[in-house]
Amino acid sequence: MLREGSCGCLEGESTAAPEGGADDTAPCARTGRSRRRAWAELLRLPALFSVPGDALAGTAATGAAPNSRTLLAIGSSLCLYEAGMALNDWADRDVDAVERPHRPLPSGRIRPAAALTAACALTGAGLALASGAGRPALAVAVPLAATVWAYDLGLKHTPAGPVAMAAARGLDLLLGAAATTGHTRPALPSAALLGTHTLAVTTVSRQEAQGGSPLAPLAALATTALLTRVVTHRPSEHRGATALDHLGPGATRPPGAAPGRKPAAHLTTALAAAYVAATARPYFHATLNPSPPLTQRAVGAGVRATIPLQAALTARSKGTATALLIAALAPLGARFAKKVSVT
């Protein structure tokens, strides 16, 4: 006697394809793959590759090496990031039903209650991991989680939306610094630079569904140029080298002009160039034609460009090995983004 299984298939029925059919995959297997695909789309899994660099860049800014607490901060960041993704689609399910009916919730592939439950569970897990990294980390993770929820539930469609998203990304970088060393002050400049990039990308994303003005991608393009200039400009090294030349060959070389610093400077320049290469063309195309497809492409490029920017900030703080590790995440993110969209 046939009966319905937990996956919706009839237990005991033949799962072979009809004669002449090309697909001999069991219905249960197809359902499982479809469900995993839906969750990958809901959580925008390829975007996860842009998260670990936050904590690592924050750690590098303090001058410390990553440790076990840094790993807890990364885990916390990943959980809070994905909580925001799930909550985003839950809050926007009515809008997506009109503008993006293919998304997992409006298409019926994932129930809204399941998405909300996932957001709550991931938030709790993120805060628990931050707590394991110490009080300073938890003191940053709590406002980070609050910012994520405030953005998704109320601020997203207001003028404060991009600012809130920028604040969340900056706090995520500070979480790494707080977890590793207990201090966030040295990481504030890097957090401000990363937040500025996020502000520009989020502003562009506000018109990705229907298109709009070319001003947003043009401003993002200008922001990219400004950030590249700031990240690669090191006036202290120039002043130190000039003073050394004036003092003569017997003078002591200042720390900023040590020979070992040059490789880090070269790596910073190379990573900043990769950052520009990742964003310039999509932003320029969206400026010329701010249609939904080109705008979405620009947003996706901006999200992926977060990785080389994180790596450049890390190299700028003399975290050469860590910068290379972060940079290695970029091709992985780009590869998986071909399968699942990050927007």
Side-chain angles (χ1 to χ4, degrees), residues 18-70:
E19 186 176 351
D23 188 2
D24 59 354
T25 304
C28 292
R30 290 198 301 270
T31 301
R33 283 203 301 266
S34 177
R35 188 171 300 162
R36 289 193 295 270
R37 170 82 184 190
W39 279 100
E41 291 180 18
L42 176 73
L43 299 176
R44 297 170 175 85
L45 289 184
L48 277 180
F49 290 97
S50 72
V51 177
D54 288 347
L56 293 173
T59 298
T62 66
N67 55 32
S68 60
R69 292 190 301 275
T70 312

Side-chain angles (χ1 to χ4, degrees), residues 23-129:
D23 188 2
D24 59 354
T25 304
C28 292
R30 290 198 301 270
T31 301
R33 283 203 301 266
S34 177
R35 188 171 300 162
R36 289 193 295 270
R37 170 82 184 190
W39 279 100
E41 291 180 18
L42 176 73
L43 299 176
R44 297 170 175 85
L45 289 184
L48 277 180
F49 290 97
S50 72
V51 177
D54 288 347
L56 293 173
T59 298
T62 66
N67 55 32
S68 60
R69 292 190 301 275
T70 312
L71 295 179
L72 288 173
I74 292 174
S76 175
S77 297
L78 291 170
C79 288
L80 294 177
Y81 189 88
E82 290 294 39
M85 291 296 186
L87 186 63
N88 172 78
D89 276 34
W90 180 83
D92 279 359
R93 60 193 184 280
D94 293 333
V95 175
D96 286 343
V98 177
E99 298 181 350
R100 294 180 169 188
H102 61 280
R103 291 293 299 163
L105 267 60
S107 66
R109 290 177 291 156
I110 295 178
R111 293 180 296 108
L116 181 59
T117 300
C120 294
L122 286 165
T123 300
L127 293 176
L129 288 169

Side-chain angles (χ1 to χ4, degrees), residues 84 87 91 142-158 160-161 164-165:
L87 186 63
V142 169
L144 171 57
T147 302
V148 169
W149 279 73
Y151 173 82
D152 283 331
L153 297 183
L155 297 178
K156 180 192 304 182
H157 301 295
T158 72
M165 183 60 76

Side-chain angles (χ1 to χ4, degrees), residues 209-225:
Q210 298 177 342
S213 168
L215 293 180
L218 180 61
L221 187 60
T223 300
T224 299

Side-chain angles (χ1 to χ4, degrees), residues 212-286:
S213 168
L215 293 180
L218 180 61
L221 187 60
T223 300
T224 299
L226 176 62
L227 290 176
T228 302
R229 171 61 177 166
V230 173
V231 170
T232 58
H233 185 53
R234 304 189 66 83
S236 60
E237 289 189 7
H238 177 73
R239 286 195 300 265
T242 302
L244 184 67
D245 292 339
H246 289 167
L247 291 175
T252 302
R253 185 179 295 273
R261 300 295 175 112
K262 288 187 177 181
H266 294 327
L267 179 60
T268 301
T269 301
L271 291 169
Y275 168 60
V276 173
T279 56
R281 186 173 181 180
Y283 285 162
F284 183 67
H285 286 170

